[in-house]
Amino acid sequence: MMGQYEARFPTDRRYAKKNHTWAQRSEGRGAWRFGFSAYAVRLLQDVYFLDWQVEEGVNVTEGQEIGFIESKKAESDLYAPMTGRLVRFNGELLDDPSTINVDNYGAGWLFEIEGDGQNLMTPEEYLAHLESVWEVTQRTIKGQMNE
Amino acid sequence: MTKRISVVLSQGQSRNPEKRKLEEDLVAALIMESGVDVTVVPHLYDLTPDGTGMLALRNIGGDAVILSWLYPRAARWVLDRNNIRGQEGISLLKGLGEGDEDDEDLEDELEDEADDDKDRVADSRPNPPRKIYCLDLRAYDDANTYVEEIRRIVRENGTPLVQLTGWLGGKPKNGEAMQRFLEPTNDTHLGAARETGRRDAGGNGEPAPEAPPVVRIEENAGRRWYPVIDYSRCTNCMECIDFCLFGVYGVDNVETILVEQPDNCRKGCPACSRVCPENAIIFPQH
Ligand code: SF4
Ligand code: SF4
């Protein structure tokens, strides 16, 4: 569905609609761990730099600006995918953000937020959502190729 | 004898290969220049006050050019906070976002400075006579522009100038500090690495055959986040110290405001920068 690019969307987790992140309950804790979906990584390509604008332990609301990312294809602010307490950032990424490209569903996770996660989508819902915005996506990707 | 100048390249935080290439192109070009010593340090803003990076910078006593991924104003006041001081060297390069069409901004700024009847902290604080030039690596993509400007700076400082002694009017309290200002002793520091380099070439400006005079300093203390005070604007009004709940600000022994506990600062807060009536508080990463 991603043109010539293969994209994996594991079904053992949920997805946040707006900023294309996956979410998975971290074991033994009430927090959701977030990372970029294959779709987001496809759009970003190589990640060069990542920084967070809030401290661990603060409450964030969905849509709040929490960080910044620089990649081969984009410089962009990052927003909280859900409301809750942001308990942990993946500190390793500050030194080496390329882990996001190598293992976006595993070691390249971004942060953990404590909260109910009721606005998160199932993989099916997420794929349906991607289909619905597919036209925009195609334009974006084509735009990149024509650069 | 030609004066030597120290060029400090402060690396960016990003792994963007284009930015890394600019840094390495600069180092490669600068080691070929006579009269230039090159020191490479991590991102200036992240250096800790007692780390090897700042130590090396403090040991540079003479004229210096600082190349960093920061606004020159931010770089200058980060250095100032770490006791690395000097006269502000004026670069002829345009800063980031300082196109011709921005002349208006420039005028605004000049006006700001003109209607200046307020006492700024910097007015009562003499700087040593050596010059510090801060250049912003975000402003141009090609190494050559910076190399040309550094050559110009070397020429500018190679010619003996009439000493600007106006700053002496301020009556320094401490004779010893004054002596340090007047006779910086950098030549004896960072020795080993450099003595094997070009300095052995008999002072005739010819490069020695091997061991290029580059000192590379690694330091990984992680990212930092704290306010930086621009003392050319600060009036010591104390709004910030009253406002901050986290004890970041303090005063020195002559009751001048300073960032005392930088690491207490809350990431992303920058509320104090909005309460400062003089716009003197800088968050370089914001
Ligand atoms: S609020 Fe601004 S002008 Fe006042 S002391 Fe603080 S930095 Fe200086
Ligand atoms: S940003 Fe906030 S925590 Fe940091 S010094 Fe200013 S008021 Fe204090």
Side-chain angles (χ1 to χ4, degrees):
Chain A
M1 66 145 287
M2 300 278 287
Q4 65 196 99
Y5 294 91
E6 190 202 349
R8 276 190 317 127
F9 295 97
T11 52
D12 60 350
R13 55 196 77 199
R14 303 203 161 227
Y15 292 86
K17 182 174 183 170
K18 288 227 185 74
N19 49 4
H20 301 290
T21 46
W22 53 261
Q24 198 171 34
R25 277 235 184 247
S26 9
E27 278 151 44
R29 276 184 289 168
W32 290 88
R33 174 173 282 194
F34 287 85
F36 285 122
S37 75
Y39 174 84
V41 174
R42 165 75 188 93
L43 289 180
L44 289 166
Q45 300 192 14
D46 293 347
V47 179
Y48 299 143
F49 174 70
L50 191 65
D51 201 14
W52 303 113
Q53 297 285 354
V54 298
E55 303 237 318
E56 286 180 348
V58 302
N59 291 318
V60 295
T61 47
E62 189 177 330
Q64 180 186 336
E65 186 183 323
I66 55 168
F68 174 82
I69 194 165
E70 178 195 1
S71 74
K72 191 168 178 189
K73 286 298 175 192
E75 286 190 16
S76 168
D77 293 326
L78 296 172
Y79 303 93
M82 70 179 243
T83 298
R85 199 164 80 92
L86 206 159
V87 285
R88 204 147 74 98
F89 287 111
N90 183 355
E92 311 272 303
L93 296 182
L94 297 182
D95 270 345
D96 186 6
S98 67
T99 314
I100 291 171
N101 297 101
V102 179
D103 188 10
N104 63 305
Y105 288 120
W109 63 277
L110 297 169
F111 45 76
E112 293 179 345
I113 299 179
E114 277 173 8
D116 61 16
Q118 60 182 355
N119 286 349
L120 297 171
M121 296 186 285
T122 64
E124 293 75 30
E125 286 166 342
Y126 181 57
L127 285 182
H129 167 67
L130 285 186
E131 299 279 351
S132 71
V133 295
W134 178 230
E135 224 174 86
V136 182
T137 308
Q138 266 184 321
R139 254 183 275 138
T140 314
I141 292 176
K142 277 204 191 109
Q144 287 187 355
M145 283 172 173
N146 293 340
E147 265 169 27
Chain B
M1 194 197 118
T2 25
K3 274 212 283 185
R4 300 192 69 79
I5 194 159
S6 297
V7 176
V8 175
L9 187 133
S10 157
Q11 293 172 307
Q13 297 167 315
S14 164
R15 298 196 157 210
N16 188 329
E18 281 168 28
K19 296 179 181 171
R20 281 289 140 99
K21 180 166 183 299
L22 173 61
E23 293 170 353
E24 287 312 312
D25 286 353
L26 274 165
V27 171
L30 290 170
I31 59 178
M32 306 305 289
E33 296 293 310
S34 65
V36 172
D37 294 315
V38 185
T39 305
V40 180
V41 296
H43 193 52
L44 198 58
Y45 182 67
D46 286 339
L47 296 180
T48 51
D50 43 12
T52 43
M54 279 301 176
L55 189 69
L57 299 193
R58 272 196 289 269
N59 281 339
I60 295 170
D63 295 337
V65 178
I66 315 292
L67 299 162
S68 71
W69 300 89
L70 291 166
Y71 283 111
R73 176 167 96 103
R76 174 159 171 244
W77 295 107
V78 167
L79 292 170
D80 178 273
R81 179 64 186 89
N82 286 279
N83 282 321
I84 298 157
R85 302 194 174 130
Q87 306 297 318
E88 184 181 357
I90 306 298
S91 167
L92 299 185
L93 292 184
K94 284 216 164 69
L96 188 67
E98 229 177 67
D100 296 322
E101 72 279 13
D102 282 336
D103 278 353
E104 242 173 74
D105 278 358
L106 200 65
E107 270 163 36
D108 280 355
E109 226 168 82
L110 290 177
E111 230 166 80
D112 269 1
E113 276 169 32
D115 85 293
D116 201 357
D117 42 8
K118 289 183 193 156
D119 281 342
R120 312 281 168 174
V121 170
D123 298 341
S124 59
R125 189 182 277 182
N127 274 324
R130 61 91 169 258
K131 282 195 199 158
I132 298 181
Y133 297 79
C134 295
L135 309 184
D136 187 344
L137 288 173
R138 298 168 305 172
Y140 300 88
D141 325 317
D142 65 310
N144 217 17
T145 309
Y146 295 101
V147 175
E148 288 292 332
E149 175 64 1
I150 290 166
R151 283 192 190 132
R152 188 196 65 79
I153 290 171
V154 168
R155 281 196 302 273
E156 179 174 288
N157 291 286
T159 334
L161 293 169
V162 181
Q163 279 249 333
L164 294 166
T165 43
W167 63 278
L168 288 174
K171 235 189 260 165
K173 290 182 205 60
N174 175 339
E176 198 188 306
M178 160 90 100
Q179 202 51 41
R180 269 210 312 276
F181 286 164
L182 291 172
E183 283 169 32
T185 52
N186 65 318
D187 283 1
T188 51
H189 295 281
L190 287 176
R194 278 188 183 149
E195 300 312 343
T196 58
R198 209 188 292 141
R199 195 156 289 171
D200 277 352
N204 58 2
E206 290 297 311
E210 72 251 88
V214 181
V215 176
R216 284 181 189 266
I217 289 163
E218 312 261 330
E219 183 181 319
N220 198 355
R223 304 264 174 84
R224 300 183 70 209
W225 168 271
Y226 55 91
V228 177
I229 299 178
D230 176 343
Y231 287 109
S232 70
R233 297 191 183 180
C234 174
T235 57
N236 212 29
C237 73
M238 302 288 157
E239 291 281 343
C240 51
I241 196 171
D242 288 342
F243 181 83
C244 176
L245 299 173
F246 299 97
V248 171
Y249 293 95
V251 291
D252 65 11
N253 52 11
V254 289
E255 301 290 311
T256 301
I257 192 84
L258 87 169
V259 177
E260 193 167 36
Q261 302 289 345
D263 296 317
N264 280 2
C265 181
R266 300 289 124 160
K267 203 157 194 196
C269 162
C272 54
S273 67
R274 289 188 284 264
V275 305
C276 172
E278 305 298 335
N279 249 323
I281 299 175
I282 312 169
F283 281 93
Q285 304 290 103
H286 197 66

